[in-house]
Amino acid sequence: MSDELTLLAEAGAAAVVAAMATDLWQGTRDGVLGLFRRDAPDSAAPVGARLDEGAALVRSSAAPDDVRRALAGIWSRELHELLRRAPACRVPLARLAAEVDGAFASGRAAVVLEQNNTARDSGTVFAVQHGDIHTTRGAGGATRRGADDGPQ
């Protein structure tokens, strides 16, 4: 039975961290919180805080996949302990993992990218999220922008 719990906890953790920083995150987060509420109703706030911290790390990281790998181990242990304490959570966790996996497999999941750019003290910001941007100064100091690929 322990191998079964371990595999389910790992699948659940993989789904949770994969959903971080995607449009699946809120539903996945709510599903995980629901599982922990079944076990201990008072545990939702600290679990929610840990989930939000992990999602923030993924969003802000230059290497989000590395952060996801690290978080997967943590959430695998958390979910394994939950399943050990509350066996009734097995089916809902398996369903949640299957839903997230299905959304990624069908292309329904989209990564949510955030970008905040601020120019101060007569500064100028040229930003692009997907691709490269090249700037040059033309005659009279005018700036020309051009993105090689993606929106500006």
Side-chain angles (χ1 to χ4, degrees), residues 4-5 7 9-10 22 26 30-31 38 42 51 57 86 98 108 112 114 118 128-129 139 142-143 147-148 150:
E4 178 187 334
L5 289 182
L7 291 174
E10 288 172 354
T22 71
Q26 193 60 50
D30 292 346
R38 286 178 180 220
D42 295 339
L51 287 166
L57 284 172
R108 289 180 294 146
V112 177
E114 292 183 21
T118 305
V128 64
Q129 270 190 308
T143 302
D148 288 343

Side-chain angles (χ1 to χ4, degrees), residues 38-123:
R38 286 178 180 220
D39 176 49
D42 295 339
S43 69
V47 169
R50 289 194 307 273
L51 287 166
D52 293 339
E53 288 170 10
L57 284 172
V58 170
R59 274 192 310 275
S60 66
S61 175
D65 289 337
D66 292 342
V67 175
R68 283 187 174 99
R69 275 190 287 282
L71 291 171
I74 294 167
W75 283 104
S76 180
R77 285 187 297 281
E78 292 263 354
L79 292 171
H80 189 275
E81 286 303 308
L82 172 70
L83 294 172
R84 191 185 54 73
R85 289 188 314 266
C89 291
R90 291 178 187 176
V91 171
L93 179 59
R95 190 176 317 127
L96 179 67
E99 288 172 5
V100 171
D101 289 346
F104 278 105
S106 69
R108 289 180 294 146
V111 174
V112 177
L113 298 174
E114 292 183 21
Q115 181 174 341
N116 297 312
N117 304 294
T118 305
R120 290 191 173 87
D121 301 323
S122 301

Side-chain angles (χ1 to χ4, degrees), residues 3-21:
D3 289 341
E4 178 187 334
L5 289 182
T6 299
L7 291 174
L8 180 54
E10 288 172 354
V16 169
V17 300
M20 290 178 174

